[in-house]
Amino acid sequence: MSTILDVANLAGVSVATVSRVLNNSDLVIDETRDKVLKAISELDYKPNMLGRNLRRSSSKVILTLVPNISNPYYSEIVKGIQDTLSINDYQLLLANSEAEWDVESKYIKLLEQKLVDGLIWMDATARSKNVRKISQDYPVVICSQYDATDLCYVSIDNEKSAYDAVSHLINQGYRRISMFNSNQKFRYARLRLKGYQNALLDHGLEYDENMVEYVEFDEEKISTSFEKLIIEKNSIDAIFTISDFNAQFIIREADKHDIRIGKDFGLVGFDNLSFSSIIKPSLTTVDQPRYRIGTEAATLLIERIKGHRESCKQIILDHKLIIRESSLKSQN
Amino acid sequence: MSTILDVANLAGVSVATVSRVLNNSDLVIDETRDKVLKAISELDYKPNMLGRNLRRSSSKVILTLVPNISNPYYSEIVKGIQDTLSINDYQLLLANSEAEWDVESKYIKLLEQKLVDGLIWMDATARSKNVRKISQDYPVVICSQYDATDLCYVSIDNEKSAYDAVSHLINQGYRRISMFNSNQKFRYARLRLKGYQNALLDHGLEYDENMVEYVEFDEEKISTSFEKLIIEKNSIDAIFTISDFNAQFIIREADKHDIRIGKDFGLVGFDNLSFSSIIKPSLTTVDQPRYRIGTEAATLLIERIKGHRESCKQIILDHKLIIRESSLKSQN
DNA sequence: GTCGGTAATGTAACGGATTACATTGTTGAC
DNA sequence: GTCAACAATGTAATCCGTTACATTACCGAC
């Protein structure tokens, strides 16, 4: 593996000149440049970024932490991030955080250790204290809603969107509405729970904590929870679930039990994943401007890296309730 | 941002000693170690990996190129990779290659530039020549089937698996079988096309290139292709498609046209994605041992990095045709 | 012909860690 | 008491680029 010195020697110039050629400085006359380029191609020389980055203390690489890359919700956000970064000459790398602090913290080390220049952190599960600490010390943008003004984040209003979804079910005539939530380590999960509670209370319904199930993104747990609520309690008539991803499993379960979703049973999902319009019944869901979340986050991050301290902003984008078949109610 | 020198000064020792503490050398007496550790925590010192990696010329980071992270097919492979790497003290980063050489080549630079130690390259779309060149020069494992013995790869037998799928349709009684393929830049797509052709010929059916559509993973194109084949030609009675992902859209289209899949129309997908057992009708598909593909690839890569030149192996894992409702045929 | 200015290139410090080798200090054998 | 052996620590070279500053060479103006 050849180094810049090898190139310099072969071309008969100094390393400085080679470096200038590499960095397109206009201080090199064409003749010299040609000699250098010839040497570079002859040796098949590739600059070692470890050296360059050490000197520049920057890598032009951004890391995005995704709790679960197999959840299509995130991929559209990532696309937004990718497009924005690539325009700005940054490269994007992804890491699957599994939504676990142990994993998250390992990847955050890449930031602390200067291997990446910045971090877009989706649905951080770390404690607020940790999140705050890290994002004070390094360029970080969080994709989820926080209440602090000293953090950079992009999100929808999770509480309000859950409120809207549940209110819709109530307005349709459903009364015993369960929530299939995800782990409370997710801030969005806590916020949406609040929205669920408030919607119930505001419409004169009682909040019963036994009606909330915590199921993660796991088919089996959903099946168990569903049976428990349906069979043992035999009383719920609708579910608001944290993700369309879960909703597909709920539909399947309902089917097993001959429960007709969109007729005697209401279902509202979240995220407006592509299949939600395709499955039967089509799924009422809350749409987030996912691509835009990505572009905004990337833009914010780049500003922060450039050092605009004042760029620490909080961006809340609009959500939209998309009403489809699964939340209709037959008049009986 | 403090450096190892700051720590050394504060602790009243040399940088060498600090480095020894950092690397758990047993050449440091407890008293000194304590002083150093105290200084480290006092300064909140984090070793700069750019320095360390430059010296060690290794980053302990592996890159995996995924054509499309939103395709759940890849996520299970990634999980296998992740688990294996993490046991071996490597970190995994992902990149979305969009299955485009322009993007791929940008990320491959990270390898050439020593920012990552190795690459797992899924469904490389680069020309064979490029793939071969890169994988000769750097530690690379390819996840897809190649015919060369000088490459490291892990895959199923794509040709055989397509052959099996199409033979199954024929055995069920379907005769006018179309293939919805993806872009021929994918090697697996070319191999599966071969399998499709051979299955037809071996069963005395004619191969008609107009029966093959190239649709990518795009709902709209699928819709167009479907209508073209169904309405204009009004003659196909089955589809073998390259991915379950596409199959879901085909099901939807068929529904629009009142075509009863699993009765008068056969459909076989590929990959056995989680939803394929859930949708209606449930989908006949080809299962690949995805997690295992990941673990094998990661194991191979680590061996290559360790320098076992002889570790350049080709691994072909077993596939399995999973027969469900979508390929049944009513007796009429 | 001399001088100033500038264009082109070179020299060497630097970034932050690791580590071979050098140094110091301690212990134990004789 | 001397010396070898080894433990603990320090010094400085090294990894590979970048870039401030130094140097050289050439030009035109006077």
Side-chain angles (χ1 to χ4, degrees):
Chain A
M1 192 92 294
S2 47
T3 74
I4 200 171
L5 188 59
D6 301 326
V7 175
N9 288 149
L10 182 59
V13 299
S14 73
V15 292
T17 300
V18 177
S19 178
R20 290 194 187 98
V21 171
L22 289 173
N23 294 287
N24 298 313
S25 158
D26 49 7
L27 275 172
V28 187
I29 60 170
D30 289 349
E31 192 195 329
T32 312
R33 182 183 306 277
D34 288 346
K35 278 193 299 186
V36 171
L37 290 176
K38 197 167 148 242
I40 287 177
S41 87
E42 204 160 308
L43 294 170
D44 194 26
Y45 164 74
K46 320 270 182 196
N48 181 322
M49 286 301 147
L50 296 174
R52 172 180 292 178
N53 293 349
L54 174 59
R55 191 59 235 255
R56 291 192 177 156
S57 51
S58 127
S59 63
K60 286 285 183 179
V61 175
I62 298 297
L63 178 65
T64 292
L65 269 176
V66 184
N68 178 1
I69 54 159
S70 56
N71 186 336
Y73 163 66
Y74 295 107
S75 63
E76 192 68 14
I77 301 182
V78 168
K79 209 162 155 29
I81 296 173
Q82 182 136 287
D83 290 351
T84 308
L85 289 185
S86 125
I87 292 168
N88 289 278
D89 219 25
Y90 278 89
Q91 277 193 88
L92 172 65
L93 290 177
L94 306 171
N96 205 352
S97 75
E98 319 261 9
E100 282 178 24
W101 170 238
D102 281 357
V103 185
E104 285 181 333
S105 67
K106 264 174 77 178
Y107 282 108
I108 285 165
K109 279 201 184 129
L110 297 179
L111 184 66
E112 298 173 336
Q113 299 165 341
K114 306 289 174 192
L115 286 181
V116 299
D117 287 354
L119 173 69
I120 293 177
W121 193 352
M122 299 212 201
D123 289 330
T125 54
R127 300 185 180 179
S128 289
K129 206 184 76 187
N130 289 332
V131 175
R132 176 157 296 114
K133 172 90 172 61
I134 293 157
S135 92
Q136 264 163 5
D137 294 351
Y138 306 94
V140 174
V141 171
I142 296 157
C143 279
S144 52
Q145 196 178 338
Y146 265 76
D147 42 21
T149 57
D150 57 339
L151 293 179
C152 248
Y153 65 80
V154 182
S155 175
I156 58 162
D157 184 334
N158 280 291
E159 188 177 332
K160 179 68 163 47
S161 56
Y163 185 95
D164 291 349
V166 175
S167 298
H168 164 68
L169 281 170
I170 298 172
N171 292 335
Q172 283 290 310
Y174 296 105
R175 285 295 170 268
R176 299 278 301 161
I177 301 166
S178 162
M179 176 174 187
F180 277 31
N181 205 348
S182 44
N183 197 304
Q184 291 299 92
K185 70 184 170 188
F186 292 112
R187 184 170 275 256
Y188 71 77
R190 302 198 293 274
L191 291 168
R192 290 182 198 168
L193 178 61
K194 255 198 221 164
Y196 163 78
Q197 293 172 328
N198 289 339
L200 293 179
L201 298 177
D202 285 0
H203 291 83
L205 296 175
E206 200 184 324
Y207 165 64
D208 172 1
E209 64 178 14
N210 293 317
M211 298 279 278
V212 180
E213 292 289 321
Y214 300 94
V215 293
E216 323 267 333
F217 294 91
D218 179 330
E219 189 174 355
E220 211 170 305
K221 281 196 190 143
I222 287 172
S223 166
T224 315
S225 293
F226 189 84
E227 297 206 339
K228 183 178 121 198
L229 282 169
I230 286 290
I231 308 215
E232 290 182 17
K233 306 195 90 187
N234 191 28
S235 52
I236 71 170
D237 63 0
I239 294 176
F240 165 54
T241 180
I242 204 83
S243 160
D244 291 354
F245 203 73
N246 290 343
Q248 62 181 336
F249 300 131
I250 293 175
I251 290 177
R252 189 187 184 185
E253 275 306 308
D255 211 62
K256 276 194 203 157
H257 293 282
D258 272 330
I259 291 169
R260 297 172 309 161
I261 284 183
K263 301 215 164 109
D264 28 50
F265 197 96
L267 179 63
V268 176
F270 217 106
D271 293 345
N272 192 21
L273 299 186
S274 70
F275 63 77
S276 65
S277 63
I278 298 172
I279 49 176
K280 302 225 147 157
S282 62
L283 192 59
T284 296
T285 188
V286 178
D287 179 67
Q288 309 190 37
R290 294 187 279 155
Y291 185 84
R292 178 109 187 280
I293 291 177
T295 59
E296 295 283 351
T299 307
L300 221 52
L301 182 62
I302 291 169
E303 278 178 28
R304 270 204 72 180
I305 291 173
K306 283 195 186 137
H308 305 279
R309 275 235 149 253
E310 74 282 7
S311 66
C312 190
K313 283 192 288 200
Q314 295 77 41
I315 298 179
I316 297 283
L317 299 171
D318 288 338
H319 63 272
K320 200 164 79 192
L321 181 69
I322 298 187
I323 297 171
R324 299 207 186 93
E325 296 165 359
S326 70
S327 63
L328 301 181
K329 193 175 168 75
S330 59
Q331 327 299 359
N332 50 346
Chain B
M1 192 92 294
S2 47
T3 73
I4 200 172
L5 187 60
D6 300 327
V7 176
N9 289 149
L10 182 59
V13 299
S14 73
V15 292
T17 300
V18 177
S19 177
R20 290 193 186 98
V21 171
L22 289 174
N23 294 287
N24 298 313
S25 158
D26 47 8
L27 275 171
V28 186
I29 59 169
D30 288 350
E31 192 194 331
T32 313
R33 183 183 306 277
D34 288 346
K35 277 194 301 187
V36 171
L37 290 176
K38 195 165 153 245
I40 286 176
S41 87
E42 204 160 308
L43 292 171
D44 194 24
Y45 164 75
K46 322 269 182 195
N48 181 324
M49 287 299 147
L50 296 174
R52 171 179 294 178
N53 293 348
L54 173 60
R55 188 60 231 252
R56 292 191 176 157
S57 52
S58 128
S59 63
K60 286 286 185 179
V61 175
I62 298 297
L63 178 64
T64 293
L65 269 176
V66 185
N68 177 1
I69 54 159
S70 55
N71 185 335
Y73 163 66
Y74 295 106
S75 62
E76 191 69 14
I77 301 183
V78 168
K79 209 162 154 31
I81 297 173
Q82 181 136 287
D83 290 351
T84 307
L85 288 184
S86 129
I87 292 168
N88 289 278
D89 218 24
Y90 279 89
Q91 276 194 87
L92 172 66
L93 291 177
L94 306 171
N96 205 352
S97 75
E98 319 261 10
E100 282 178 26
W101 169 239
D102 282 357
V103 185
E104 285 181 333
S105 66
K106 265 173 76 179
Y107 282 109
I108 285 165
K109 280 202 184 125
L110 297 178
L111 183 65
E112 299 173 336
Q113 298 164 343
K114 307 289 175 192
L115 286 181
V116 300
D117 287 353
L119 173 69
I120 293 177
W121 194 353
M122 299 212 200
D123 289 330
T125 54
R127 301 186 180 178
S128 289
K129 206 185 76 187
N130 289 332
V131 175
R132 177 157 297 113
K133 173 90 173 61
I134 293 158
S135 93
Q136 265 163 5
D137 294 351
Y138 305 94
V140 174
V141 171
I142 296 157
C143 280
S144 51
Q145 198 179 337
Y146 265 76
D147 41 22
T149 57
D150 57 339
L151 293 179
C152 249
Y153 65 80
V154 183
S155 176
I156 57 163
D157 184 334
N158 280 290
E159 189 177 331
K160 178 68 162 50
S161 56
Y163 184 95
D164 291 350
V166 175
S167 297
H168 163 69
L169 281 170
I170 298 173
N171 292 335
Q172 284 290 309
Y174 295 106
R175 285 294 171 270
R176 299 278 302 161
I177 302 166
S178 162
M179 175 173 187
F180 277 32
N181 205 347
S182 43
N183 196 304
Q184 291 300 92
K185 71 184 171 187
F186 292 112
R187 182 169 276 258
Y188 71 78
R190 302 198 293 275
L191 291 168
R192 290 181 198 168
L193 178 61
K194 257 198 221 165
Y196 163 78
Q197 293 172 327
N198 289 339
L200 292 180
L201 299 176
D202 285 359
H203 291 83
L205 296 175
E206 201 185 322
Y207 165 63
D208 173 1
E209 63 177 15
N210 293 315
M211 298 279 278
V212 180
E213 292 288 321
Y214 300 93
V215 292
E216 323 267 334
F217 294 90
D218 179 329
E219 188 175 355
E220 212 170 304
K221 281 195 190 145
I222 287 172
S223 166
T224 316
S225 293
F226 189 85
E227 298 207 336
K228 184 177 120 199
L229 282 170
I230 286 289
I231 306 212
E232 289 181 18
K233 307 195 91 190
N234 190 27
S235 53
I236 70 170
D237 62 1
I239 294 176
F240 165 54
T241 181
I242 202 84
S243 160
D244 291 353
F245 203 72
N246 290 342
Q248 62 181 336
F249 300 130
I250 293 175
I251 290 177
R252 190 187 184 189
E253 275 306 307
D255 211 62
K256 275 193 203 158
H257 294 282
D258 271 331
I259 291 169
R260 297 173 309 159
I261 284 183
K263 301 214 165 111
D264 28 51
F265 198 98
L267 178 62
V268 176
F270 216 106
D271 293 344
N272 192 20
L273 299 186
S274 69
F275 63 77
S276 65
S277 62
I278 299 172
I279 50 176
K280 301 225 149 155
S282 62
L283 191 60
T284 296
T285 188
V286 178
D287 180 67
Q288 308 190 37
R290 294 186 280 156
Y291 185 83
R292 178 110 186 279
I293 291 177
T295 59
E296 296 283 350
T299 307
L300 222 50
L301 183 62
I302 291 170
E303 277 178 29
R304 271 204 72 179
I305 291 174
K306 283 195 188 141
H308 305 280
R309 274 235 150 252
E310 74 282 8
S311 67
C312 190
K313 284 192 286 198
Q314 296 77 41
I315 298 180
I316 297 284
L317 299 171
D318 289 339
H319 63 271
K320 199 164 80 192
L321 180 68
I322 298 187
I323 298 171
R324 299 207 187 93
E325 295 165 358
S326 70
S327 64
L328 302 181
K329 193 174 167 72
S330 58
Q331 325 300 358
N332 51 346

